[in-house]
Amino acid sequence: MITRRTLRWTGASALALAVLAGPAVTAAHAAAPEAAFQDVVDDLVTKDKFPAAIATIQDKDGEMTDYTAGKGEPPADGYVRIGSNTKTFTAVTILQLVGEGKVKLDGPVETYLPGLLRGKGVDGRRITVRQLLQHTSGLPEYTDFLAKGALPYQHTYFQPRDLLDLALKKKAQFAPGTKWSYTNTNFVVAGLIIEKVTGRPAAEEIERRTVRKLGLEHTYFPNVGDQGIRDPHPTGYHRDDPAKPMTDVSTYEPSGAWTAGQMISTPSDLNRFFTALLDGKLLKPAQLKQMRTTVKAPELGPGGRYGLGISAVKLSCGGHGLGSRRGDPRFLHHERRHRGRPRRRHRGHPPAGDRARPAARRGRPGHGPVREVLRRS
């Protein structure tokens, strides 16, 4: 879910992103789903004060409808920095290695990165791979240095070890396995494990094992030094001081997020990724079951739970919204399964200033959304 803390300092995510799939499940949606989602996307701009927002909705018949709102007329289904959705891609790669017998989920990090995790209360011999993916490792958070402002680092390149060094200057948050706290450092360490075990760059493994396998033509891990974003894309904005004007941060050095949040994609590609993941097309049954086995995650709000690189938020309809985290651009799936034949219908509303504008296009069937998910995101 997008939080005030995120709004305050996360420069690379000054655009709200929501991807939902499947049919509406409330009477209000059945009567006027377009108007309902327009209101939700508009609220992200007018109430939550995001400069712009884009969303993709997929119904039971496979039709996908794009919604946009806000500053600069953001392109429907444009490229965006997907932030912590990257964590799910990273978790998938680790779990694929588990399925291949190359990584032990409950084995210590020390096995793969000997001597690396040492610090005040930090010991890689006591932290398991599962605890990294589950955010129960107790590792300190490295992103705290951005709390006073992200703009000074807009063009600063970080090596993964730089990020880990920032974290290890601080003491552990808690003993491994005793609490839950969302921590980007966990997924930087996961990326280092991928590289140590495979002998290849983590970005290459993520793209080979998931992006290319699923044919996600609009999803990529930016190369070293690539601060841009492919067209078409909305303009990204950020300000460190609420009293000052927004700064265009469309050009942004993403290495400060690495395997915790560096990737770029489109709403429709994210839709295909999460649908394929939950349909068992990326992981063996045993590993998918482990990914979806959750623990209590108080930071996610009432009923919030977290698995391995994926969160679960309880919804009033009785299902669960599955996504990546509590902040940054957000993807959510409703658990109720539906299937239907893809088709295309044309529908839309005349533009009204910065009001959301839907555009229908062909898609694939998936999982059903609930309107409140976007409001809580």
Side-chain angles (χ1 to χ4, degrees), residues 62-125:
E63 178 188 356
M64 286 193 285
T65 303
D66 300 308
Y67 293 82
T68 69
K71 189 173 182 177
E73 297 187 0
D77 201 36
Y79 285 95
V80 291
R81 300 187 188 279
I82 64 172
S84 285
N85 289 287
T86 302
K87 289 181 176 63
T88 311
F89 285 84
T90 301
V92 166
T93 303
I94 289 285
L95 289 170
Q96 288 169 339
L97 292 171
V98 171
E100 294 165 11
K102 298 176 181 177
V103 171
K104 292 185 178 180
L105 194 56
D106 291 310
V109 173
E110 185 78 6
T111 302
Y112 312 102
L113 301 172
L116 183 63
L117 296 186
R118 294 289 190 277
K120 300 175 183 178
V122 174
D123 189 340
R125 293 167 293 190

Side-chain angles (χ1 to χ4, degrees), residues 251-326:
T251 300
Y252 196 93
E253 172 54 61
S255 59
W258 199 47
T259 47
Q262 186 169 333
M263 293 180 71
I264 291 173
S265 188
T266 62
S268 61
D269 258 17
L270 279 182
N271 202 332
R272 295 183 185 99
F273 165 65
F274 277 92
T275 298
L277 172 60
L278 298 176
D279 281 348
K281 296 179 180 178
L282 291 172
L283 296 174
K284 295 178 180 178
Q287 280 71 57
L288 182 58
K289 181 179 179 180
Q290 293 292 334
M291 171 175 264
R292 299 187 62 167
T293 299
T294 60
V295 296
K296 291 182 179 179
E299 294 177 27
L300 297 180
R305 301 184 67 85
Y306 200 87
L308 304 181
I310 196 166
S311 62
V313 180
K314 189 174 182 179
L315 306 173
S316 62
C317 63
H320 287 81
L322 299 178
S324 63
R325 66 159 288 180
R326 60 183 173 88

